[in-house]
Amino acid sequence: MTTRGVEIAPSVLNADFARLGDVCVELEAAGVERIHWDVMDGQFVPNISMGPAVIASCRPKVDLPFEAHLMVHEPDGLIPAFVEAGCDRILVHPEACTHLHRTLGLIRDLGAEPAVALNPATPLEVIEWVLDSVLQVLIMTVNPGFGGQAYLTEMEPKVRRLLDLVESSGRDLDIEVDGGIAPDTIARAALAGANVFVVGSALFRDELGVEHAVKDLRQRAEAALASGTVA
Ligand code: DX5
Ligand code: ZN
C-alpha cells in the first residue's frame, strides 16, 4: 500500500473550454491538489486539445501546481513552452520519445519535474532504467485521446507491480492513474497502489457539483486504503 497521500488531479479535458480560467478557480476552491492538462497533438493520439498558450492564460488564476500530460509525438521541441507557460511537472510518454532519458533530463534542466506516462499496452520494463529520473509514473487506465472512456480493470496488476518495483527499490514516487476514474472505480485503483487520481468527466458530470465530487472521490479512496477493501 502506498504511503503517499491521496491527491485528486482534475483533468480539464472535459470542462467547458470557454470557462477554463473560472473552472481552475472552482477546482482550487474544491480542494484539488493540482490541475492536470491533457495535451494532445492529433498525431500521438487521435485528438487535439490545448497548447501552452491556453495553460499560460490560466496560470495566474490559481496557485495550484500544473502538470502537463504531453500526449505528443517527440515532445522535446515543445517542452520549453510548457515550462514557460507555468507547468510545474511534465509527463511524457516513452512511446513518443526516441531518447526518453535525454527528454527527462531536458525537463529537469528547465526547472520542471520530470514524469512518465505509460499506455495500457506498454510494459513497466520500458521505464525501469529511468525511475531515478522521474518523480511520478502515470499508468493510463484508458487508451489515451478522449475523456469519458471505460476504466480498464486489467491495469490494476500493472499498478500493483509498479508499486512493488518502486517500494522494493526504496524510491518514493507518485503513482498516478488516468482514465475512467469515478466513484465506482477510484477505490480499486487506490487498493492497486495509486495515490494520484486524474479525474475528468466524473467531476463535471456530478449533479451536486465539483466540490461534492472531489470530496466524495477522496473519501472513497481514503476509506479503501484505511480498510484495505472496496466498500
Ligand atoms: C485520455 C485522457 C483522459 C482524461 C480523463 O487521454 O488523459 O483519461 O484525462 O478522462 P476521464 O473523463 O475518463 O476522467
Ligand atoms: Zn492525462
Side-chain angles (χ1 to χ4, degrees):
M1 216 65 71
T2 178
T3 56
R4 300 178 71 88
V6 167
E7 294 198 23
I8 304 294
S11 162
V12 295
L13 184 68
N14 282 44
D16 177 357
F17 278 22
R19 299 185 55 249
L20 274 182
D22 295 340
V23 168
C24 287
V25 171
E26 289 159 16
L27 289 167
E28 185 172 54
V32 301
E33 279 78 12
R34 55 180 91 170
I35 304 277
H36 182 91
W37 296 90
D38 277 313
V39 177
M40 301 177 182
D41 67 354
Q43 273 194 63
F44 181 66
V45 292
N47 192 6
I48 293 177
S49 58
M50 77 280 289
V54 171
I55 296 173
S57 63
C58 294
R59 178 65 279 177
K61 304 280 185 183
V62 292
D63 295 327
L64 287 169
F66 281 3
E67 65 178 26
H69 175 190
L70 299 187
M71 287 165 273
V72 169
H73 185 61
E74 296 301 356
D76 286 22
L78 284 171
I79 287 169
F82 283 96
V83 177
E84 185 62 32
C87 294
D88 306 273
R89 187 165 287 188
I90 306 278
L91 296 103
V92 293
H93 277 264
E95 306 94 338
C97 300
T98 304
H99 301 287
L100 176 62
H101 185 273
R102 179 186 290 150
T103 300
L104 296 170
L106 168 65
I107 296 168
R108 187 195 57 243
D109 294 347
L110 288 168
E113 297 172 339
V116 286
L118 297 182
N119 286 337
T122 305
L124 294 175
E125 284 70 18
V126 165
I127 55 167
E128 192 173 349
W129 298 104
V130 294
L131 283 178
D132 286 334
S133 304
V134 300
L135 292 164
Q136 174 175 299
V137 178
L138 186 159
I139 302 292
M140 291 301 297
T141 42
V142 295
N143 285 294
F146 301 92
Q149 301 178 81
Y151 171 80
L152 297 173
T153 54
E154 61 265 42
M155 290 297 112
E156 289 169 8
K158 186 176 175 182
V159 175
R160 194 163 297 115
R161 191 182 300 173
L162 173 62
L163 179 63
D164 293 344
L165 176 63
V166 167
E167 289 187 330
S168 61
S169 61
R171 291 185 179 90
D172 186 24
L173 304 181
D174 276 330
I175 295 178
E176 186 172 38
V177 286
D178 181 351
I181 300 301
D184 61 331
T185 58
I186 192 167
R188 337 173 23 128
L191 286 178
N195 71 294
V196 184
F197 303 89
V198 176
V199 190
S201 40
L203 279 186
F204 301 111
R205 70 172 173 237
D206 187 318
E207 286 156 20
L208 297 176
V210 168
E211 189 159 358
H212 171 267
V214 170
K215 200 171 291 177
D216 177 54
L217 287 162
R218 188 189 306 284
Q219 280 171 354
R220 289 172 186 268
E222 289 175 344
L225 290 171
S227 66
T229 58
V230 175

